[in-house]
Amino acid sequence: MRRKKCLATLTMAAMVAASLAGCGSSGEKTDNSQAAVSGETTVSDSGEKKKDSGSATVVSMWHMWSGSEAEAFQTVIDDFNASQDEIEVEVLASQTEEKMLTAIPSGDGPDIVHTSDTTCSKWAQAGLLSTLDSYITSENVNVDDIYPSVYALGTYGGEQYGLPYTMDSYMLFYNKGVLDELGLEPPKTLEEMAEMCKQVTVKDANGEYTRLGYVPDYPWIDRVEIPYLFGAEFYDFESDQVTCTSDEFKNALNYKAQFYTEYGIPEVTKFKSGFGAYASNDNALFQGKIVFSIEGEWFENFINLYAPDDFEWGAVQVPVTEAKPEIAGCGRLQGSLLSIPSTSKNSDAAFQVIRYLTSGDAYVKFCSLIGNLPTAYSALESEDLVKQAPQLEPFIESVLEGKAKAFPAVPFSAEYSDIQGLEEQAVYSGDKTVEEAVESMYEQLQPLADEWKNAR
């Protein structure tokens, strides 16, 4: 299809997880001035903050969205504040996890935090979050309505510390104009995609690349996606073992490495260095420098905003390895959660806000505004969601197949991702073999798994 002109908001491309180490020692005092609502606040005998102008409980919420996403969220919060008189929500946008980690232990932090999939279990382990189980029971939250592997992101030690809010899933976007020119259909297996990449590769008169089929570390998404599509797992909860040394994991990394080794590591590295900013007109796919890219549901918005008017594109479910056709659709889900810090003075009211945000029309409205997927089946199946954000429809269909899964909910998932990324880069640069890289991953990660096991 050609680029369509429409008004669209961008979704979050990535959420960077901050490590606990050193995060609370900066001495920085969090400035809450941006969160102030009209009317002064006082503290009641019970510790709950009250507006002088009325009896509403003031609930503060910090989140990581900015720009158009923050504006969309504020719209939903404004709807909530206008809908009742008992709770007034103050919002502080564009907050990093490091700032949250500084504020929460001091007691000056928010009543609700927006956390990433690599954050919730780690913060729960550190005692920074309150369990939500009593609220889930008393408010009759239907946990069966929530996508299971994303719900697990909020679980630690058998208790729930976060309710899933939004999630991303992924498809293979491709330059349809190039495939049509060569008489090619989108690939049905990863191996077919690798062969197709040879056909679409172009060099100039000097022998330098002007187009490649696929670059495995552009933008960043395939780190978890491709291993899942080879049938790999990252962690075994029964044995508490990191499973990055499995044959499936090595097959996935070998698959990705070929896009450097078979095309020349120096040549691919040089070509990639010329890629422009991801969220811009210079995106490598839009510029015709690559033909395939694994992207999330936000990407059609990117196309509408940044791609040339004559850019022809298509998107299909990311194919799996030909050796395991039965796992089609088992790619990655990436989620965010809403949690209540352990130092919240307004936890009862805070959960009422979380319930509002994660259910009904408000939930559908926010997800459609920012182009993210909701984590509840009832919202995913809502006709209003597709009407308001039609670009989500193929992602919804893929997710409802039920095979996609989030990264395992371990408290060292951020470290897992960082270490995996560094080891994969060592393979792409030719500094390590795949065997060396996965062994190094295991040696660094298994002690973290053992530490977690011993602490439970």
Side-chain angles (χ1 to χ4, degrees):
M1 62 188 75
R2 285 186 182 270
R3 175 181 174 228
K4 296 181 290 184
K5 297 286 188 181
C6 69
L7 292 176
T9 56
L10 300 182
T11 193
M12 174 168 45
M15 294 185 296
V16 180
S19 170
L20 280 173
C23 287
S25 60
S26 66
E28 176 184 355
K29 182 172 176 58
T30 303
D31 180 6
N32 290 303
S33 60
Q34 297 178 50
V37 295
S38 59
E40 305 235 333
T41 63
T42 60
V43 180
S44 68
D45 292 339
S46 65
E48 288 201 341
K49 293 178 289 184
K50 303 287 185 181
K51 291 176 67 178
D52 279 348
S53 57
S55 60
T57 299
V58 179
V59 170
S60 62
M61 177 174 178
W62 293 11
H63 65 72
M64 296 180 287
W65 292 295
S66 61
S68 59
E69 292 170 329
E71 293 173 4
F73 186 74
Q74 188 62 54
T75 298
V76 177
I77 292 298
D78 289 344
D79 290 344
F80 173 79
N81 286 338
S83 71
Q84 43 73 53
D85 298 321
E86 296 179 355
I87 302 171
E88 184 81 9
V89 181
E90 303 173 341
V91 175
L92 196 58
S94 306
Q95 295 304 290
T96 65
E97 291 180 344
E98 183 176 1
K99 289 182 179 178
M100 296 181 196
L101 283 168
T102 301
I104 290 172
S106 72
D108 293 330
D111 297 302
I112 304 172
V113 289
H114 168 235
T115 57
S116 69
D117 54 354
T118 59
T119 299
C120 194
S121 59
K122 171 178 278 189
W123 289 14
Q125 182 187 40
L128 296 174
L129 302 178
S130 296
T131 178
L132 303 180
D133 292 279
S134 62
Y135 293 120
I136 290 170
T137 300
S138 63
E139 296 294 328
N140 297 314
V141 177
N142 181 11
V143 298
D144 292 332
D145 188 43
I146 304 172
Y147 205 92
S149 65
V150 182
Y151 186 72
L153 292 173
T155 305
Y156 178 78
E159 296 184 291
Q160 199 68 22
Y161 289 88
L163 276 189
Y165 193 28
T166 61
M167 65 180 179
D168 298 321
S169 73
Y170 305 98
M171 298 187 77
L172 181 67
F173 283 73
Y174 60 91
N175 187 320
K176 187 176 184 297
V178 171
L179 295 195
D180 287 349
E181 181 182 339
L182 297 173
L184 300 172
E185 295 294 328
K188 294 181 173 58
T189 67
L190 288 171
E191 289 80 5
E192 186 178 333
M193 187 175 95
E195 286 301 312
M196 204 171 289
C197 285
K198 297 176 182 177
Q199 296 174 263
V200 303
T201 295
V202 177
K203 289 185 175 182
D204 62 17
N206 298 319
E208 295 187 347
Y209 289 115
T210 59
R211 186 172 73 202
L212 286 170
Y214 176 68
V215 177
D217 51 344
Y218 181 85
W220 72 91
I221 294 161
D222 81 331
R223 194 177 299 174
V224 175
E225 181 82 6
I226 296 296
Y228 274 158
L229 298 173
F230 270 84
E233 297 292 343
F234 288 81
Y235 194 78
D236 183 346
F237 284 94
E238 291 187 5
S239 63
D240 279 307
Q241 290 289 307
V242 174
T243 55
C244 60
T245 58
S246 69
D247 288 342
E248 291 84 358
F249 202 100
K250 287 185 278 191
N251 289 341
L253 187 47
N254 273 310
Y255 176 83
K256 293 192 286 183
Q258 71 178 304
F259 294 101
Y260 273 90
T261 56
E262 292 191 9
Y263 293 86
I265 292 172
E267 292 85 354
V268 174
T269 302
K270 179 181 178 181
F271 183 59
K272 186 191 170 191
S273 69
F275 289 2
Y278 174 70
S280 76
N281 299 330
D282 292 326
N283 183 288
L285 186 67
F286 304 157
Q287 291 297 315
K289 293 182 177 181
I290 58 173
V291 176
F292 299 105
S293 188
I294 298 174
E295 302 286 355
E297 70 280 351
W298 65 83
F299 201 66
E300 184 171 346
N301 288 343
F302 273 31
I303 293 172
N304 292 326
L305 287 168
Y306 302 127
D309 291 340
D310 61 352
F311 179 67
E312 294 185 282
W313 61 279
V316 294
Q317 190 174 80
V318 186
V320 300
T321 176
E322 61 187 14
K324 295 181 180 289
E326 70 278 5
I327 66 171
C330 72
R332 182 192 188 185
L333 294 175
Q334 190 170 2
S336 71
L337 303 98
L338 300 178
S339 299
I340 299 176
S342 55
T343 54
S344 168
K345 298 179 178 66
N346 304 291
S347 57
D348 290 354
F351 194 78
Q352 293 302 313
V353 177
I354 291 175
R355 283 292 285 146
Y356 176 87
L357 293 172
T358 57
S359 58
D361 294 341
Y363 197 14
V364 170
K365 179 177 181 177
F366 178 64
C367 288
S368 64
L369 283 173
I370 70 168
N372 263 177
L373 296 173
T375 60
Y377 290 107
S378 55
L380 285 167
E381 295 168 348
S382 167
E383 292 183 1
D384 287 339
L385 181 63
V386 175
K387 287 180 181 177
Q388 295 171 31
Q391 77 274 15
L392 296 180
E393 186 169 15
F395 294 91
I396 293 170
E397 291 174 354
S398 178
V399 167
L400 288 178
E401 289 183 11
K403 294 182 180 179
K405 49 194 174 183
F407 191 86
V410 296
F412 52 93
S413 56
E415 290 89 342
Y416 205 133
S417 179
D418 291 342
I419 290 169
Q420 181 186 352
L422 291 172
E423 295 299 332
E424 288 191 358
Q425 287 301 317
V427 173
Y428 299 152
S429 66
D431 293 332
K432 287 185 179 180
T433 66
V434 167
E435 289 281 352
E436 291 170 339
V438 297
E439 287 297 331
S440 178
M441 282 181 62
Y442 181 83
E443 290 171 3
Q444 295 175 75
L445 291 168
Q446 189 57 44
L448 300 179
D450 294 338
E451 180 181 344
W452 178 43
K453 177 182 178 180
N454 293 334
R456 299 206 301 272

